[in-house]
């Protein structure tokens, strides 16, 4: 038995393949997200295009979607799921790993899904921001080696002397 590309321990024929044949079987945002990832692995451009919300105009982006599907997708990790503002909105945060030029990369996204006419659709997503903490923030201002005209360490965009200095 081979596991489904979406990361579930079921065989593809019992997991995402039925959803690929009948979009209505994706009864939760997570099921739709997993099936969309599997569609990338399986090369199912039509399924991915058809599971975008109509407001996304995915058909106009078909070429780019097809190029994305051609990536060497390796694995999927679902991080979390959350309800939206109402029962017709949901969120799935995931990491999708792919290999390119001998290196592995990670696409992390919090995807938003909406339900319309009893079908879930992908509508958009956000990428987490990587906060880089300045090690100087753990020191007292008196011990800092910051020039008066250097940018302030608080990130305000002002000069140090006009802000925290």
């Amino acid at each position: 038995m081979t596991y489904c590309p979406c990361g579930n321990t079921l065989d593809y024929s019992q997991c995402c393949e039925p959803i690929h044949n009948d979009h209505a079987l994706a009864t939760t945002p997570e099921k739709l997200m997993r099936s969309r990832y599997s569609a990338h692995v399986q090369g199912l451009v039509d399924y991915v295009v058809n599971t975008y919300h109509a407001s996304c105009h995915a058909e106009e982006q078909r070429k780019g979607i097809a190029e994305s599907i051609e990536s060497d997708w390796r694995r999927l990790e679902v991080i979390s799921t959350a309800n939206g503002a109402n029962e017709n909105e949901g969120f799935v945060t995931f990491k999708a790993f792919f290999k390119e030029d001998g290196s592995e990369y990670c696409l992390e996204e919090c995807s938003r899904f909406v339900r319309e006419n009893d079908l879930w659709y992908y509508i958009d997503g956000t990428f987490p921001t990587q906060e880089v903490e300045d090690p100087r923030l753990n020191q007292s201002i008196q011990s800092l080696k910051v020039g008066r005209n250097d940018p302030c360490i608080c990130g305000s965009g002002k000069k140090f002397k006009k802000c925290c200095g």
Side-chain angles (χ1 to χ4, degrees):
M1 179 171 82
T2 57
Y3 296 132
C4 188
C6 79
N8 281 332
T9 56
L10 294 172
D11 187 75
Y12 170 70
S13 66
Q14 297 174 331
C15 189
C16 287
E17 186 176 36
I19 298 171
H20 291 156
N21 294 322
D22 182 1
H23 179 179
L25 296 176
T27 55
T28 66
E30 182 178 353
K31 285 183 180 180
L32 181 61
M33 191 280 307
R34 286 181 179 277
S35 71
R36 285 172 53 86
Y37 174 82
S38 288
H40 277 74
V41 174
Q42 300 291 337
L44 304 176
V45 177
D46 288 339
Y47 180 80
V48 174
V49 169
N50 293 334
T51 55
Y52 271 95
H53 187 266
S55 66
C56 298
H57 306 286
E59 190 60 49
E60 297 169 16
Q61 306 299 321
R62 180 177 281 277
K63 183 179 177 192
I65 292 168
E67 289 172 4
S68 170
I69 287 174
E70 291 172 9
S71 296
D72 184 8
W73 296 101
R74 296 304 185 128
R75 69 184 183 284
L76 175 71
E77 293 176 13
V78 174
I79 308 300
S80 65
T81 61
N83 295 327
N86 58 58
E87 74 254 3
N88 293 317
E89 180 182 58
F91 297 88
V92 179
T93 301
F94 67 92
K95 292 181 179 181
F97 297 86
F98 63 97
K99 194 168 186 179
E100 185 176 285
D101 297 327
S103 296
E104 188 172 83
Y105 298 93
C106 175
L107 167 69
E108 184 173 356
E109 181 178 306
C110 178
S111 295
R112 182 167 65 114
F113 297 88
V114 294
R115 184 169 43 194
E116 196 171 89
N117 299 320
D118 290 325
L119 294 175
W120 285 102
Y121 294 94
Y122 172 84
I123 192 159
D124 58 19
T126 58
F127 302 105
T129 56
Q130 299 291 327
E131 292 186 28
V132 178
E133 184 175 317
D134 190 327
R136 299 176 297 175
L137 293 174
N138 296 324
Q139 303 174 30
S140 68
I141 290 178
Q142 291 78 17
S143 67
L144 287 173
K145 303 283 190 230
V146 180
R148 293 173 35 81
N149 291 319
D150 288 345
C152 190
I153 63 169
C154 75
S156 69
K158 297 179 184 176
K159 290 184 179 181
F160 181 70
K161 68 183 178 186
K162 296 281 188 181
C163 192
C164 294

